[in-house]
Structure formats: structure tokens, C-alpha cells
Amino acid sequence: MPEKKKIIIDTDPGIDDILGLLLALSAKPEEVEILLISLTFGNIEVRSCLRNVVSMFHIIDREMRWRKEHGKEEGFGALRASKPIVAVGAEEPLEDQRMLADYFHGTDGLGGIHASHPHLTPSQTWEHLFDPSADPSEIDTVKCDGNEAAHQSFIPSKKPAHQEILRVLKENDAGSVTLVAVGPLTNLALAAAEDAETFLRVKEVVVMGGTVNQPGNVTPVGEFNAYADAVAAARVYALTSPMPASTLPPTRSEKLPPYPAKLSKQLTLRLFPLDITLRHNMTRGQFRQTVTPLLEAGSPLAEWVSAFMAHTFRTLESLHVGHEGDAASLSLHDPVCVWYALTADDKRWTPSSNSPEDIRIESSGQWTRGMCVVDRRNRHRIDSEVASSNDHGHWLSTRAGNRIWRVDGSPVEHDFGDILMQRIFG
């Protein structure tokens, strides 16, 4: 039997982020332990991300009670076995101007659900749980529908998310924790800048971001997560190099010092760019077939997810040709990264034929910010740590450059939408 995975999820929820979190939390307790959910700006502002996560836990609590009352299995075994810590992180990118994706996800990140379905949203009496200046003796409570009770599904942290990432990595055996990053990489870059050696205790970092052979989704060459904080992405990618200084981006911030000249190891980074995530989809028809009977039966989770998914499919119809009716299709960018973390032992997850690849993130280009830059020239490699006159940027050096494992083969490409629905709704 595969060993139980320990994971951190760094996220900016977000519609597909929430689906990814539900996928992880609905796993069996022997499959995974979610140690930490760290939040970053990205799709929306980080405080809205926090509100969405707290709402998700509230809905899961209601769903488990509903299932129990109706003689169904409660599900969400991983959550019932171990409460994850929730920590609030970066509010803005390291250097660039902040960009959000609320045009797709809605201003609250979930298609306006907090205004359209207020009965599904807990009142914001929980905010003090994450306030470092709040009285620690206050009871950790969440109020909804006029009722107040101690929250039992997560542990709130008053520390910044990047410090919680370092604490979790320090307190667990080196090489035992996978970090799944499905938003901008700001929290990861801050953690690595503060303590690179502790950060390198991670087993691997699974990144949803970038695009190599596909067009970008926010610019012709830029994918949203890489674009939203290109400096952070470039700094995290640099840790995969035997010589991080060879790919470290220029920076204007004193808070981002160079990495130590000598590090104990290289970071293992497993990249899920648009090239593979666009091949994992769920149609409105698939979603409707699963959720309609549950809606009719009164499932709180089905009602909540249906509310923001209705917004999603309407947005897809308005933005893209061919997304009409039941054929409207949502790419499951973030859930597929979570699924990899749960099933990494499956040998059908395969890297690109060129892996590990020297993929770098452009951090300062006028039109190319967030671009995944790959050397496609047919040139001889150079066995040297010193860049020669014909190797500006150490692109040909066998001892420098990044080492990125780009995932290209998937065991669930054609049926992942059905797997996701079955896992979440049982």
C-alpha cells in the first residue's frame, strides 16, 4: 500500500483552487495528511481568499452533518482525521504591480456567492482568529445562521504563511512533505529567502504555473500564476540549479537577498504548465449529471458548489467560442496538481522527454513578464561554471541553469472530471 502523503497546499481560492482543496480534504485518511493551507493573493485579494476557505470549511461541516442524518457516509476522512492549519500570506507580489483574476472568478473569487447566497456564508466573526493583535484568550468561534460554535475543522494561525511553511518543514522529517503551489509563488519565495536550507527540506514542490508550448492565458506568452509574481517564480525556480546565482533574477528589494553560495541540495520542482493542465477538464454536462440529484436531496455542498460553478460556466460561454450548453468545459488546473500529490506513486505520471529542463521565468520583460523561457537552439553544451562569450546567461553550461521536471504524461487525462466529482460528492 502506498505511504500516506504529507502535503502543504499554497493557494489563492479561487474556483478551481476550491475544487482542489475539496479533492484533498475528501481523501481517505490513509491517503493524505494536509498539514497546512497557506493563502496568497492571486485570483483575488488574500482576505477574500481567507473568507472563501472559512466558508468552505463551514459548508463541509454542514455537508457531513447532512450526510450523517441521511444515512450516508460522511466522507472527508482526511479532514476528520487531522485538522489542517490555515495561515494568511502575501498580499501583493514581491516587486511587480498586483494583478488579480477577478474578471473570471468574480470579485469575491466564487462568482459573487457571498452576496447571492448569504445563508451559505458564515458571518465574519472569525476574522480575529487570524489577527496577531487579537486577545489570544478569545474563543475560536464561527457564527452562521445565528448560531455560534467552536470551529472544529481547521486551526487558525496568526503567523504569516511563509513562516508557517518553514515551521512545518522544520518539524517534519526532511523529504517527507510535498508542497503543492497552485497560486503565485510569493509565499514560497519569502520562505526560501528567510531560510533556504529549511525550505529545501521539502520533498518536492508541485507548481501549477507557466506555459511552454501553449499560448499564455493573460498575455500571449504569460500564464497567470507566473505572471502575477514573476520575480517570486524565478527565485523559486533558481533553487533547482546547482548554481542558483546563475538564474537568480535581478531585484530591487533588500528583503530578497541572494541565496547562500553553498546549499546542501537542489530543489525538486515538478511543473504543471498549461500544456498539461488544459488537457484535464470537466464539462457542464458532467457536473450537472453528478450534482442534480444531490441538489434535489438537499446537499449543502452541492448547493454551494453549484452556485459558483454556474457563474463559471456562464463566464466560459461569454469568453470562449464553443463553450455552449453542456459542452462548456472548465480546465482543472489546480485540482490536477492536488491529484498528482495524492497519487505520485503512479508511474503513469511522466516527465517531458527533455526533463529536467532549464526553464526560466522572465521577470522584467515589457511584453514577456512571466514567460517560460527555454533554450531551443541546437548547440553544444559547455562543461564550465564560467559563462563564455558565446554563452550569455549560462544557457549552455552543464553546471549551471535550472533543473525543472515538467510533467507531460497523466494517468487521468480523459476521465479526471468524473474522478473529481466522485471524490468530492461520494
Side-chain angles (χ1 to χ4, degrees):
M1 183 176 179
E3 184 180 357
K4 179 165 73 171
K5 312 296 193 300
K6 293 183 177 183
I7 67 172
I8 297 169
I9 303 177
D10 190 78
T11 177
D12 57 337
I15 288 162
D16 57 328
D17 302 74
I18 287 290
L19 294 176
L21 288 169
L22 288 170
L23 176 61
L25 295 165
S26 63
K28 298 175 182 178
E30 60 270 22
E31 290 180 310
V32 68
E33 180 181 1
I34 301 115
L35 303 172
L36 170 67
I37 298 171
S38 54
L39 303 178
T40 177
F41 82 95
N43 291 319
I44 46 173
E45 294 182 348
V46 72
R47 284 286 153 182
S48 294
C49 293
L50 177 59
R51 188 183 192 191
N52 293 343
V53 166
V54 173
S55 296
M56 176 192 70
F57 281 115
H58 163 71
I59 291 297
I60 290 173
D61 285 345
R62 289 182 56 178
E63 176 72 8
M64 288 193 294
R65 289 197 300 271
W66 176 81
R67 291 180 184 183
K68 189 174 182 179
E69 290 168 359
H70 287 78
K72 304 175 182 289
E73 288 189 19
E74 291 178 70
F76 296 95
L79 175 59
R80 287 187 285 115
S82 178
K83 298 182 193 179
I85 294 167
V86 176
V88 181
E91 298 181 2
E92 58 187 8
L94 297 178
E95 294 188 358
D96 299 312
Q97 182 179 358
R98 182 172 61 182
M99 173 188 175
L100 304 177
D102 50 6
Y103 69 93
F104 183 85
H105 295 268
T107 55
D108 66 356
L110 293 178
I113 194 171
H114 302 302
S116 63
H117 294 69
H119 62 291
L120 298 177
T121 301
S123 63
Q124 291 180 260
T125 55
W126 47 264
E127 286 188 312
H128 72 279
L129 307 181
F130 299 89
D131 183 356
S133 64
D135 183 351
S137 65
E138 292 183 15
I139 300 173
D140 290 353
T141 58
V142 175
K143 181 182 286 186
C144 191
D145 300 331
N147 299 314
E148 189 172 89
H151 209 290
Q152 299 180 7
S153 295
F154 66 88
I155 301 169
S157 172
K158 299 180 188 296
K159 292 183 179 180
H162 75 277
Q163 292 182 358
E164 284 288 4
I165 290 172
L166 291 172
R167 182 194 60 78
V168 169
L169 294 175
K170 193 174 293 186
E171 292 180 0
N172 286 272
D173 292 341
S176 67
V177 177
T178 295
L179 204 169
V180 184
V182 293
L185 298 184
T186 317
N187 287 335
L188 280 67
L190 289 170
E194 185 167 313
D195 188 343
E197 285 294 350
T198 295
F199 186 75
L200 289 172
R201 290 172 62 88
V202 72
K203 179 179 181 180
E204 64 179 359
V205 173
V206 179
V207 172
M208 191 283 121
T211 183
V212 177
N213 297 310
Q214 291 289 323
N217 58 7
V218 291
T219 72
V221 295
E223 177 275 333
F224 176 81
N225 286 340
Y227 183 93
D229 197 340
V231 171
R235 286 183 63 90
V236 173
Y237 282 36
L239 286 170
T240 70
S241 172
M243 295 171 53
S246 68
T247 64
L248 207 59
T251 179
R252 301 183 299 272
S253 173
E254 295 180 358
K255 296 186 295 184
L256 300 170
Y259 295 128
K262 295 290 185 181
L263 291 169
S264 62
K265 59 176 291 191
Q266 296 163 233
L267 177 69
T268 299
L269 193 152
R270 201 80 54 180
L271 182 64
F272 282 74
L274 294 181
D275 306 65
I276 187 168
T277 62
L278 286 171
R279 302 186 336 235
H280 294 76
N281 300 281
M282 177 174 61
T283 66
R284 179 189 264 142
Q286 283 177 298
F287 180 78
R288 183 174 51 77
Q289 184 175 6
T290 298
V291 169
T292 298
L294 295 171
L295 273 173
E296 294 171 350
S299 161
L301 182 62
E303 182 184 3
W304 189 65
V305 176
S306 294
F308 64 73
M309 288 297 288
H311 162 88
T312 303
F313 289 123
R314 286 195 302 269
T315 303
L316 287 166
E317 282 183 325
S318 68
L319 290 176
H320 301 289
V321 176
H323 284 263
E324 290 90 19
D326 278 356
S329 180
L330 174 67
S331 293
L332 301 169
H333 306 289
D334 299 343
V336 73
C337 295
V338 172
W339 187 244
Y340 166 80
L342 298 179
T343 63
D345 300 319
D346 190 328
K347 302 301 182 184
R348 292 174 294 172
W349 293 108
T350 55
S352 67
S353 59
N354 297 323
S355 288
E357 297 174 81
D358 186 359
I359 299 174
R360 309 184 193 184
I361 299 294
E362 174 56 58
S363 62
S364 57
Q366 181 181 3
W367 308 118
T368 56
R369 169 179 156 190
M371 178 183 182
C372 285
V373 182
V374 180
D375 189 354
R376 303 182 193 274
R377 300 172 296 175
N378 184 21
R379 294 204 180 178
H380 290 296
R381 306 285 283 171
I382 300 170
D383 186 20
S384 173
E385 293 184 4
V386 180
S388 63
S389 59
N390 68 335
D391 187 24
H392 180 69
H394 294 278
W395 284 99
L396 301 176
S397 171
T398 59
R399 305 187 189 183
N402 293 337
R403 308 286 194 270
I404 305 295
W405 293 90
R406 176 167 65 91
V407 179
D408 193 47
S410 161
V412 292
E413 182 174 327
H414 301 294
D415 54 0
F416 186 51
D418 290 329
I419 291 172
L420 181 71
M421 288 292 93
Q422 178 63 33
R423 279 279 179 147
I424 292 175
F425 291 104

